[in-house]
Amino acid sequence: QVQLVESGGGLVRPGDSLRLSCVVSGRTFSIDAVGWFRQAPGKEREFVARINWGGGADTSYADSVKGRFTISRDNAKNTVYLQMNSLKVEEAAVYYCAAQKSYTGEYNYWGQGTQVIVSS
Protein backbone atom coordinates (compact mmCIF):
# COMPACT_ATOMS: atom_id res chain seq x y z
CA GLN A 1 0.00 0.00 0.00
CA VAL A 2 0.93 3.60 -0.49
CA GLN A 3 -0.11 6.40 1.83
CA LEU A 4 -0.32 10.08 0.92
CA VAL A 5 -0.77 13.00 3.29
CA GLU A 6 -1.42 16.51 2.03
CA SER A 7 -0.79 19.74 3.86
CA GLY A 8 -0.44 23.44 3.21
CA GLY A 9 -3.98 24.45 2.45
CA GLY A 10 -5.51 27.59 3.88
CA LEU A 11 -7.22 30.88 3.25
CA VAL A 12 -5.63 33.25 0.74
CA ARG A 13 -6.69 36.29 -1.25
CA PRO A 14 -7.04 36.34 -5.03
CA GLY A 15 -3.62 36.75 -6.59
CA ASP A 16 -1.81 35.23 -3.63
CA SER A 17 0.42 32.17 -3.66
CA LEU A 18 0.28 28.93 -1.72
CA ARG A 19 2.41 25.80 -1.65
CA LEU A 20 0.89 22.42 -1.01
CA SER A 21 2.87 19.39 0.11
CA CYS A 22 2.18 15.69 -0.31
CA VAL A 23 4.22 13.19 1.68
CA VAL A 24 4.26 9.74 0.13
CA SER A 25 5.03 6.64 2.19
CA GLY A 26 4.74 2.88 2.03
CA ARG A 27 5.50 0.89 -1.12
CA THR A 28 6.68 3.88 -3.09
CA PHE A 29 8.60 1.65 -5.48
CA SER A 30 5.24 0.51 -6.85
CA ILE A 31 4.17 3.89 -8.21
CA ASP A 32 4.99 5.70 -11.44
CA ALA A 33 3.77 9.19 -10.75
CA VAL A 34 2.04 11.49 -8.33
CA GLY A 35 -0.67 13.87 -9.36
CA TRP A 36 -2.63 16.74 -7.87
CA PHE A 37 -6.37 17.00 -8.33
CA ARG A 38 -8.99 19.36 -6.97
CA GLN A 39 -12.69 19.30 -6.33
CA ALA A 40 -14.84 22.33 -5.71
CA PRO A 41 -18.30 22.08 -4.12
CA GLY A 42 -20.83 20.81 -6.61
CA LYS A 43 -18.21 20.10 -9.24
CA GLU A 44 -16.42 17.02 -10.42
CA ARG A 45 -12.86 16.34 -9.41
CA GLU A 46 -10.40 17.65 -11.97
CA PHE A 47 -6.78 17.02 -12.82
CA VAL A 48 -4.32 19.78 -11.96
CA ALA A 49 -0.77 18.49 -12.43
CA ARG A 50 1.35 15.36 -12.54
CA ILE A 51 4.99 14.47 -12.04
CA ASN A 52 6.89 11.24 -12.60
CA TRP A 53 8.00 9.62 -9.37
CA GLY A 54 11.23 8.02 -10.54
CA GLY A 55 13.70 8.87 -13.25
CA GLY A 56 13.27 12.15 -15.03
CA ALA A 57 10.87 14.59 -13.43
CA ASP A 58 8.54 14.84 -16.39
CA THR A 59 5.55 16.99 -15.63
CA SER A 60 2.17 17.80 -17.11
CA TYR A 61 -0.46 20.40 -16.26
CA ALA A 62 -4.05 21.24 -16.87
CA ASP A 63 -4.30 24.09 -19.36
CA SER A 64 -6.02 26.26 -16.77
CA VAL A 65 -2.97 26.28 -14.47
CA LYS A 66 -0.07 26.33 -16.94
CA GLY A 67 2.30 29.16 -16.21
CA ARG A 68 0.94 29.69 -12.70
CA PHE A 69 1.30 26.34 -10.94
CA THR A 70 4.48 24.30 -10.60
CA ILE A 71 4.68 20.69 -9.48
CA SER A 72 7.98 19.41 -8.12
CA ARG A 73 9.32 16.59 -6.04
CA ASP A 74 11.96 15.92 -3.41
CA ASN A 75 12.64 12.21 -3.48
CA ALA A 76 14.89 12.40 -0.44
CA LYS A 77 11.85 13.58 1.51
CA ASN A 78 9.33 11.50 -0.43
CA THR A 79 7.42 14.70 -0.97
CA VAL A 80 5.68 16.26 -3.93
CA TYR A 81 4.89 19.96 -3.94
CA LEU A 82 2.40 22.10 -5.78
CA GLN A 83 3.36 25.76 -5.92
CA MET A 84 0.30 27.79 -6.82
CA ASN A 85 0.69 31.41 -7.86
CA SER A 86 -1.86 34.02 -8.86
CA LEU A 87 -4.69 32.04 -7.32
CA LYS A 88 -8.21 32.76 -8.49
CA VAL A 89 -11.44 32.68 -6.54
CA GLU A 90 -12.73 29.86 -8.70
CA GLU A 91 -9.75 27.72 -7.72
CA ALA A 92 -11.00 27.32 -4.19
CA ALA A 93 -11.38 23.58 -3.67
CA VAL A 94 -10.20 20.57 -1.78
CA TYR A 95 -6.87 19.60 -3.29
CA TYR A 96 -5.89 15.95 -3.34
CA CYS A 97 -2.68 14.22 -4.22
CA ALA A 98 -2.79 10.74 -5.67
CA ALA A 99 -0.29 8.10 -6.72
CA GLN A 100 -0.41 6.30 -10.02
CA LYS A 101 0.23 2.62 -9.61
CA SER A 102 2.82 1.16 -11.95
CA TYR A 103 1.57 -0.62 -15.06
CA THR A 104 -2.04 0.40 -14.47
CA GLY A 105 -2.12 4.04 -15.49
CA GLU A 106 -4.62 4.56 -12.72
CA TYR A 107 -4.46 6.66 -9.59
CA ASN A 108 -5.05 3.94 -7.02
CA TYR A 109 -3.93 5.75 -3.88
CA TRP A 110 -5.35 9.01 -2.58
CA GLY A 111 -4.72 11.38 0.26
CA GLN A 112 -7.41 12.89 2.45
CA GLY A 113 -7.21 16.32 0.83
CA THR A 114 -6.36 19.81 1.97
CA GLN A 115 -8.74 22.76 1.73
CA VAL A 116 -7.80 25.84 -0.24
CA ILE A 117 -10.03 28.88 0.14
CA VAL A 118 -9.52 31.87 -2.14
CA SER A 119 -11.53 34.85 -1.03
CA SER A 120 -11.20 38.59 -0.75
Side-chain angles (χ1 to χ4, degrees), residues 27-34 50-56 58 73 99-107:
R27 297 167 64 90
T28 59
F29 58 85
S30 67
I31 63 174
D32 283 340
V34 172
R50 174 191 183 274
I51 188 167
N52 282 357
W53 182 246
D58 294 342
R73 72 183 195 212
Q100 194 172 43
K101 188 175 182 181
S102 298
Y103 307 114
T104 68
E106 297 179 1
Y107 290 94

Side-chain angles (χ1 to χ4, degrees), residues 24 30 45 55 94:
V24 186
S30 67
R45 186 169 58 199
V94 177

Side-chain angles (χ1 to χ4, degrees), residues 12-119:
V12 296
R13 297 182 184 276
D16 282 355
S17 298
L18 201 61
R19 188 178 80 158
L20 306 182
S21 300
C22 172
V23 177
V24 186
S25 62
R27 297 167 64 90
T28 59
F29 58 85
S30 67
I31 63 174
D32 283 340
V34 172
W36 283 97
F37 296 78
R38 64 189 179 191
Q39 186 167 21
K43 294 188 176 182
E44 293 190 355
R45 186 169 58 199
E46 63 174 351
F47 167 79
V48 176
R50 174 191 183 274
I51 188 167
N52 282 357
W53 182 246
D58 294 342
T59 59
S60 61
Y61 296 90
D63 288 342
S64 60
V65 306
K66 282 181 182 176
R68 297 186 298 118
F69 288 17
T70 303
I71 189 170
S72 62
R73 72 183 195 212
D74 184 337
N75 286 103
K77 296 181 178 180
N78 277 0
T79 302
V80 174
Y81 303 99
L82 184 68
Q83 176 67 42
M84 305 186 293
N85 298 329
S86 302
L87 279 162
K88 304 175 181 179
V89 171
E90 57 267 31
E91 293 180 312
V94 177
Y95 282 71
Y96 299 91
C97 64
Q100 194 172 43
K101 188 175 182 181
S102 298
Y103 307 114
T104 68
E106 297 179 1
Y107 290 94
N108 296 96
Y109 309 105
W110 292 82
Q112 82 289 349
T114 185
Q115 180 84 50
V116 173
I117 302 170
V118 185
S119 175

